[in-house]
Amino acid sequence: MAKFTIERGREWVEHEQISRLQSVSADIASLEQYAEGLVNRIQLLQDAATGIINVAQNEVMKILTVASVAGIPPVLIAGIYGMNFKNMPELNWVWGYPFALVLIVLTTLLPLIWFKWKDWI
């Protein structure tokens, strides 16, 4: 905080002017304190806004993480069984297609159930 004082030149400044200048100096000091309080309030509001934004972004990231963990295994299984190689034993099974569908559903539901059990969704 800057302090306004009259030390030099006191002899040529009138006493009434010195009194007024000291009053102005006190006003300036109180305005500096007021401005500092406003800056602190603004900083508090900025911190609160940043916190709210971070919470919202964390929720979005959690949803995207759950979607990717639940979606990647079924896509992998569908990709493998969609290759239709001649040496795949499941192609000759009567229940090969239903087996692949059940496997895809299970690999989708198991991570979702696990996330629900952990109370993440």
Side-chain angles (χ1 to χ4, degrees):
M1 175 177 11
K3 181 84 171 158
F4 179 75
T5 59
I6 297 180
E7 295 300 326
R8 286 190 287 155
R10 246 184 203 269
E11 61 277 354
W12 58 270
V13 177
E14 294 178 20
H15 180 66
E16 183 181 316
Q17 297 299 328
I18 290 174
S19 168
R20 286 184 179 179
L21 289 174
Q22 287 174 342
S23 175
V24 168
S25 174
D27 290 345
I28 290 172
S30 69
L31 285 174
E32 283 180 344
Q33 289 176 349
Y34 181 72
E36 190 175 314
L38 288 178
V39 167
N40 289 338
R41 286 182 183 178
I42 290 171
Q43 185 63 45
L44 177 68
L45 290 173
Q46 285 179 332
D47 291 343
T50 302
I52 291 169
I53 291 168
N54 284 340
V55 168
Q57 286 178 341
N58 286 342
E59 288 297 318
V60 169
M61 290 306 296
K62 184 168 61 171
I63 290 169
L64 290 174
T65 301
V66 168
S68 66
V69 169
I72 290 174
V75 169
L76 178 67
I77 292 170
I80 291 172
Y81 283 110
M83 291 182 197
N84 294 328
F85 289 121
K86 289 184 180 182
N87 294 336
M88 292 179 75
E90 292 86 354
L91 289 176
N92 296 328
W93 292 355
V94 174
W95 296 100
Y97 182 71
F99 171 76
L101 288 179
V102 168
L103 194 58
I104 288 172
V105 170
L106 281 177
T107 57
T108 303
L109 291 179
L110 287 176
L112 291 175
I113 291 169
W114 187 74
F115 281 130
K116 188 68 173 170
W117 178 65
K118 290 288 189 175
D119 202 27
W120 290 357
I121 57 171

